[in-house]
Amino acid sequence: DENHLHGGDIGFDQKVWQAKPIQQGSEVALELSLVSPDGDEGYPGNLSITVVYRLTNDNALRIDYRATTDQPTHCNLTNHSYFNFTGAQRDILDHELMINADYMTPVDAGLITTGEFKPVSGTPFDFTQAQAIGKQINAEDQQIKYGPGYDHNWVLNKRGTEMSLAAEVYEPTTGRIMQVHTNEPGLQFYAGNFLDGSFAGKDDIIYKNRFGFCLETQHYPDSPNKPEWPTTILRPGEIYQTSTILTFSAR
């Protein structure tokens, strides 16, 4: 899965990112940089990474990733932020989710992708029309049982690497909306199935089961072992460059 590539979720356990604040006009950003050395986690090459988190004037958080390497290596970066538009006052099951994808990638019992593309139509994974996250999260479905719940990758409807709408989330009691745009081919939706109340977040609120969801833009999990899928190999002289934009509004 993506966490086993150079980087995975932005974090790199036990590593410290160099941070630099940026201000361009009335917009502010934070630039984070790191070198993942040759042999780190078993992957070849010195991978130089820069990630910029930018707050825009149109209520968006833009994340721009850039990386270069001196040896061929795998690179597939994403962001694992948790969201709960009720301020974590309750679980996220009433949030209404749309994912712009007609297919998902099934997993085995170890949550590793099998290599298939499975149509979502007629399954609990059909979010082509917005529905409450909790509507089918406990359905009698083998993929749901593996989760348990949603912890799967969707194959986004798109052509090439253009920026396009990947998902939209709406919370009906607050009216809060988030749209996700990306140029990545996949979106991992995780519904907080393993949150167990052992972690306190902002204002010391306890994050109980399914009190947060993640929408991780990325190449499909386990892509290095699926040569028929879009490659995650980065070679010397190439630039890994990808972006995700989270836009917030209300209605």
Side-chain angles (χ1 to χ4, degrees):
D1 90 17
E2 78 278 6
N3 296 321
H4 296 154
L5 304 189
H6 252 307
D9 313 311
I10 291 304
F12 285 92
D13 290 347
Q14 310 304 319
K15 301 177 182 67
V16 177
W17 291 72
Q18 300 300 308
K20 181 175 75 173
I22 300 172
Q23 183 156 0
Q24 294 179 332
S26 59
E27 293 187 349
V28 292
L30 180 67
E31 180 184 280
L32 300 173
S33 59
L34 179 76
V35 175
S36 178
D38 182 24
D40 188 18
E41 298 182 355
Y43 289 90
N46 294 293
L47 189 72
S48 298
I49 311 160
T50 300
V51 184
V52 177
Y53 289 85
R54 185 180 309 278
L55 291 173
T56 73
N57 292 321
D58 56 356
N59 296 321
L61 173 64
R62 181 181 179 113
I63 310 172
D64 293 305
Y65 307 83
R66 189 181 189 277
T68 58
T69 182
D70 57 7
Q71 295 182 53
T73 192
H74 287 285
C75 182
N76 188 17
L77 307 179
T78 191
N79 177 278
H80 204 291
S81 293
Y82 285 81
F83 295 94
N84 183 325
F85 297 159
T86 73
Q89 297 301 311
R90 55 185 179 278
D91 62 39
I92 47 84
L93 299 183
D94 68 339
H95 289 55
E96 297 174 7
L97 172 66
M98 184 282 295
I99 301 178
N100 185 18
D102 295 328
Y103 294 86
M104 53 84 71
T105 52
V107 296
D108 60 23
L111 297 182
I112 301 298
T113 50
T114 63
E116 306 166 79
F117 284 2
K118 181 180 179 181
V120 299
S121 180
T123 77
F125 296 85
D126 189 352
F127 286 93
T128 53
Q129 299 294 319
Q131 66 170 313
I133 290 172
K135 183 177 180 179
Q136 300 186 78
I137 199 169
N138 296 315
E140 286 296 316
D141 178 276
Q142 186 59 64
Q143 287 295 308
I144 289 288
K145 291 179 180 177
Y146 282 153
Y150 296 112
D151 190 5
H152 298 76
N153 171 74
W154 272 253
V155 179
L156 295 175
N157 296 331
K158 65 191 307 138
R159 295 179 180 177
T161 58
E162 81 279 6
M163 291 292 292
S164 61
L165 179 65
E168 180 176 289
V169 186
Y170 169 64
E171 203 290 306
T173 61
T174 63
R176 292 167 177 159
I177 302 168
M178 181 178 74
Q179 288 189 331
V180 182
H181 287 79
T182 187
N183 53 10
E184 289 282 16
L187 180 76
Q188 184 86 10
F189 167 41
Y190 171 58
N193 310 312
F194 297 105
L195 295 175
D196 61 3
S198 62
F199 178 76
K202 186 178 180 180
D203 297 326
D204 293 323
I205 294 174
I206 302 298
Y207 291 170
K208 302 175 186 177
N209 186 241
R210 295 172 175 163
F211 261 52
F213 68 89
C214 305
L215 294 170
E216 305 163 56
T217 57
Q218 59 181 19
H219 275 49
Y220 314 144
D222 201 39
S223 285
N225 296 311
K226 310 289 192 298
E228 67 276 18
W229 285 1
T231 184
T232 54
I233 294 177
L234 179 66
R235 294 179 173 84
E238 297 177 343
I239 299 176
Y240 172 95
Q241 203 155 2
T242 182
S243 298
T244 293
I245 302 173
L246 309 175
T247 304
F248 299 90
S249 60
R251 68 170 181 257

